[in-house]
Amino acid sequence: MRLIDYANPTRFLGLVAKILPWLAGATIVTFAVGLWLVFFRAPADYQQGETVKIMYIHVPFAWLSMFCYMTMAASALGTLVWRHPLADVSAKCAAPIGAAFTFLALATGSLWGKPMWGTWWVWDARLTSVLVLFIMYLGLIALQETIEDPLRAAKASAVLTLVGVVNIPIIKFSVDWWNTLHQPASVFRMGGSTIDASMLVPLLIMAVAFSLLFVWIHLMAMRNEIIRRRIRTMRMIEAAGAE
Amino acid sequence: MDLGNHAGFILASYGLSILVVVGLFAWVVLDGRAQRRRLAELEARGVHRRSQGQSQSQSQGMGMSRSAQPTTGDAR
């Protein structure tokens, strides 16, 4: 079966029904292992002490805030170029999840920054560009909800999503391009990670757990949206039949 | 487990994260239940999507063709 065959929503729903229980199990197990490592195995940082435990949720939230946006960008291409019937559903359902993860990246960063930097917030390039990402998520959600016709809403939000992609490299490289309080990349960088394995392994496991959680919630939300659009179609048929 | 001098910041981070993630998850689950209930109500009233109607027509030998491009609102 080719990937394009899953453009058929009914076939897609069948696949989702099969995948979801396995995805739920994998997410729960990965979180259990990750949290056990974080709270019972990972050492305290020699400078930050136990406050480094915030890193194990802050960093995955930050990564996923960008990954979620790139998922929406890929879906936007699917909407505009290939007119894939599920692409818009994917983009629309990813937006609230991306907004939630971006909010948590900002909030946990702020709660980490206060004891370490001595301030809740600074208007530096990294923090400001992530705040812009959060506002873009909210704008896209508002746009999708404002336009009643799903096709028009899909095209408008796809164009806006693709325009907003320019913010992703700004977020990623802001710590290299500008002087900032935020530390530079320490996991994915030239020359390898600067984090010790005792902290890197729990961090990567937590990142996998949050990624699985994202896919789990995204697929459930897509299933809901497909059913919502079916209901809309059926109500229109019912209304047309009543005239 | 001693979380040190900044335990409040660590617990607030994890607590807020759990609150938001559980809230997001619950919203999606409750929305799913509501959508399935609405779909069941419409089907109980005898409302069907065009594709379902066509499938029924075809099975009754009326031979109506299906649309070439499936959409999320009118899935085959």
Side-chain angles (χ1 to χ4, degrees):
Chain A
M1 184 176 285
R2 295 168 305 154
L3 189 62
I4 192 71
D5 291 333
Y6 291 106
N8 183 313
T10 301
R11 199 167 288 160
F12 175 80
L13 288 179
L15 179 73
V16 167
K18 285 180 194 160
I19 288 176
L20 280 182
W22 294 99
L23 202 54
T27 307
I28 291 165
V29 168
T30 316
F31 263 117
V33 172
L35 288 170
W36 177 73
L37 287 172
V38 167
F39 283 99
F40 299 104
R41 282 286 174 265
D45 183 75
Y46 80 107
Q47 280 184 319
Q48 302 185 35
E50 294 291 348
T51 316
V52 76
K53 294 207 183 311
I54 298 175
M55 172 186 75
Y56 301 106
I57 50 174
H58 170 73
V59 173
F61 284 141
W63 284 345
L64 276 168
S65 68
M66 290 186 283
F67 176 75
C68 189
Y69 198 88
M70 292 314 293
T71 302
M72 289 175 64
S75 302
L77 274 180
T79 299
L80 293 175
V81 180
W82 296 287
R83 297 183 183 182
H84 194 294
L86 290 175
D88 167 51
V89 173
S90 168
K92 186 178 180 188
C93 295
I97 308 170
F101 284 167
T102 309
F103 167 75
L104 286 172
L106 289 166
T108 55
S110 188
L111 283 161
W112 194 11
K114 180 60 180 170
M116 293 300 104
W117 298 342
T119 180
W120 297 100
W121 182 264
V122 282
W123 289 100
D124 78 354
R126 171 59 69 85
L127 276 69
T128 306
S129 54
V130 175
L131 180 64
V132 168
L133 179 68
F134 179 60
I135 292 167
M136 280 171 54
Y137 273 124
L138 297 184
L140 283 164
I141 293 167
L143 184 66
Q144 288 159 349
E145 295 299 322
T146 306
I147 304 174
E148 198 176 347
D149 178 9
L151 274 178
R152 281 185 58 220
K155 284 182 184 172
S157 57
V159 170
L160 187 59
T161 301
L162 289 176
V163 170
V165 167
V166 72
N167 192 36
I168 299 299
I170 292 175
I171 293 173
K172 168 71 182 156
F173 296 110
S174 56
V175 287
D176 303 319
W177 293 341
W178 291 286
N179 188 22
T180 165
L181 260 183
H182 200 282
Q183 69 179 64
S186 47
V187 178
F188 300 113
R189 60 187 286 279
M190 300 288 280
S193 168
T194 57
I195 301 180
D196 186 75
S198 59
M199 292 178 170
L200 183 62
V201 171
L203 174 62
L204 293 178
I205 290 176
M206 288 298 282
V208 171
F210 277 109
S211 302
L212 289 170
L213 179 70
F214 164 68
V215 176
W216 184 13
I217 297 177
H218 190 214
L219 288 178
M220 284 199 302
M222 284 181 70
R223 182 177 62 185
N224 295 350
E225 183 62 22
I226 290 169
I227 297 173
R228 194 186 336 273
R229 291 181 185 200
R230 285 183 175 179
I231 291 168
R232 184 176 184 272
T233 305
M234 288 164 76
R235 282 183 176 156
M236 288 168 73
I237 290 169
E238 187 182 34
E243 284 174 2
Chain B
M1 183 172 42
D2 180 16
L3 291 177
N5 295 335
H6 302 304
F9 292 99
I10 300 167
L11 293 175
S13 296
Y14 279 82
L16 182 67
S17 302
I18 290 168
L19 202 68
V20 172
V21 168
V22 169
L24 181 69
F25 192 84
W27 171 60
V28 172
V29 168
L30 293 175
D31 181 44
R33 283 184 190 167
Q35 298 308 324
R36 280 193 289 275
R37 193 178 59 244
R38 283 175 199 144
L39 185 66
E41 283 170 5
L42 280 166
E43 285 175 343
R45 289 210 301 265
V47 184
H48 296 284
R49 286 171 286 128
R50 277 172 294 167
S51 53
Q52 283 180 319
Q54 284 169 7
S55 301
Q56 286 165 2
S57 300
Q58 283 174 338
S59 67
Q60 289 164 7
M62 293 175 71
M64 289 173 71
S65 62
R66 292 176 178 180
S67 60
Q69 181 71 31
T71 67
T72 49
D74 187 25
R76 285 175 286 174

